Amino acid sequence: MAVNLLSIQEAQEARILRAFRESIQSVKDQAVIQEIVRLLETGNVDGVIQLLQLDESMFEPLEDAIRQAYREGGLTGAEQVGRIPLEVGSVIARFSMTSPEALAWLASLSSGLIVEITNDQREMVRSLLSQGLTRGDNPRTTALDLVGRINPQTKKREGGAIGLTTQQARWSINAREELESLDSSYFDRKLRDKRLDSRIRKAIESGEPLDSKTIDTAVTRMQQMALKFRGDVVSRTESLNALRAGQFEAIRQSAERGGVDLSDVRKSWDATNDSRTRIEHIQMERDFGMGNPIPFNQPFVSTSGNSVMFPGDTSLGAAGSFTIQCRCRAEYTIDFIGRQARIEGFS
């Protein structure tokens, strides 16, 4: 059955990206700079974290969007299977979000990804603020570098470290130090706004300090680009993982409903095979490609020992370096009585 997987994938990726941005913006919009400054003046980092409400509720929109992608993957998988032949006739494949396996995946989303992202935000804020206190930075500057500066036109906060990883937040802080000290290493930063390069280069060559507005603008724009980069990675990775997981569960449910032993359902690995494809993923296709499929309930195991039930799967503990932004896909074959269903995976 022809199903436009790319269209489904793009729609879910866009939905998750909107939810990620909404989650981050909500924290920035409710921030009161004066209160953050007051806490920083007394060195109360934990108070800032509490004030910003950096808990799992922050990412409820993101969690809801990922759940929707999982459901969409399941519905798509069921549609691809189509009718399931039975001894008494045939039935339409359906997908249930209430199966034990589906409920387990949804529970792992809350206890795994959302908790991990939330903890990462707390760690980032703690690291950024602690560094600022140690250096003796101006509390107001530190607060604005954390939650962003208000754009006079949009009246929205832009930039800020909220939403970034700890490493990404450090990029912007280090960039500020480079700009303040007229360090030309700033030009090595790929996420800088190159429109400011001539102004900054002129200051470095003349030895005259940059004005604070130029520095703040450069830092804000770098944070915006870093947040865009992270949002793109999160939305692509999590939309694909959820779609693949839902599709995988739909196939399992269909085989079960059709009385097919899961050991008779076959799956193979299909790598993208371009310049961006990981060598290890190309090896996966060589080991588990169309000519060498494996049983549905058997994991794909990479040369480095990463085990996944389908590309992008993290349920068996595969490393992020193996799964994040993976563009490979699985191909499935179910041998029903008198009919063989071939199902294309998301990539």
Side-chain angles (χ1 to χ4, degrees), residues 16-17 20-21 163 226-236:
I16 290 175
L17 180 58
F20 177 77
R21 289 173 174 170
L227 185 61
K228 179 184 183 304
F229 175 77
R230 192 184 188 200
D232 289 344
V233 171
V234 168
S235 60
R236 174 165 179 80

Side-chain angles (χ1 to χ4, degrees), residues 88-303:
V88 295
S90 64
V91 296
I92 289 291
R94 299 187 186 280
F95 172 68
S96 171
M97 291 275 280
T98 62
S99 72
E101 290 79 6
L103 291 175
W105 190 91
L106 295 170
S108 71
L109 172 63
S110 299
S111 63
L113 174 68
I114 300 303
V115 169
E116 179 183 338
I117 293 180
T118 303
N119 288 343
D120 178 69
Q121 285 299 285
R122 291 174 180 157
E123 179 186 345
M124 180 277 295
V125 171
R126 190 180 305 281
S127 174
L128 184 147
L129 298 185
S130 297
Q131 287 179 26
L133 291 171
T134 300
R135 289 193 304 266
D137 293 346
N138 181 294
R140 182 173 179 81
T141 298
T142 300
L144 291 171
D145 280 347
L146 176 63
V147 300
R149 292 166 172 79
I150 294 178
N151 182 314
Q153 281 73 45
T154 65
K155 308 301 181 184
K156 293 281 189 179
R157 291 197 181 279
E158 295 180 348
I162 296 295
L164 304 181
T165 65
T166 300
Q167 182 184 36
Q168 290 171 333
R170 286 176 183 154
W171 292 346
S172 63
I173 298 305
N174 292 341
R176 175 177 288 282
E177 292 180 345
E178 291 163 355
L179 292 168
E180 290 174 343
S181 63
L182 299 179
D183 185 346
S184 61
S185 297
Y186 168 79
F187 294 113
D188 295 330
R189 300 195 172 276
K190 295 180 180 179
L191 294 181
R192 74 183 191 279
D193 187 339
K194 295 181 181 179
R195 292 173 295 181
L196 298 173
D197 279 3
S198 60
R199 192 187 314 176
I200 295 169
R201 186 171 284 108
K202 182 178 179 180
I204 291 176
E205 291 173 351
S206 68
E208 295 184 7
L210 281 161
D211 61 280
S212 59
K213 183 177 180 180
T214 297
I215 294 175
D216 289 344
T217 299
V219 170
T220 295
R221 290 180 182 173
M222 178 175 287
Q223 290 172 327
Q224 285 178 294
M225 284 186 273
L227 185 61
K228 179 184 183 304
F229 175 77
R230 192 184 188 200
D232 289 344
V233 171
V234 168
S235 60
R236 174 165 179 80
T237 299
E238 300 310 326
S239 63
L240 263 176
N241 287 353
L243 287 167
R244 290 161 169 165
Q247 182 188 47
F248 183 84
E249 171 59 13
I251 294 169
R252 190 201 64 77
Q253 291 180 15
S254 296
E256 183 179 73
R257 189 168 289 117
V260 177
D261 191 307
L262 286 177
S263 63
D264 293 328
V265 180
R266 314 297 287 179
K267 63 184 179 183
S268 57
W269 188 284
D270 184 10
T272 307
N273 287 308
D274 61 18
S275 60
R276 292 190 294 146
T277 306
R278 299 168 174 89
I279 296 298
E280 198 169 9
H281 290 192
I282 293 174
Q283 186 63 51
M284 293 288 275
E285 181 176 279
R286 292 173 182 167
D287 293 341
F288 310 109
M290 291 294 289
N292 191 31
I294 61 175
F296 179 85
N297 50 5
Q298 176 181 319
F300 295 107
V301 181
S302 74
T303 53

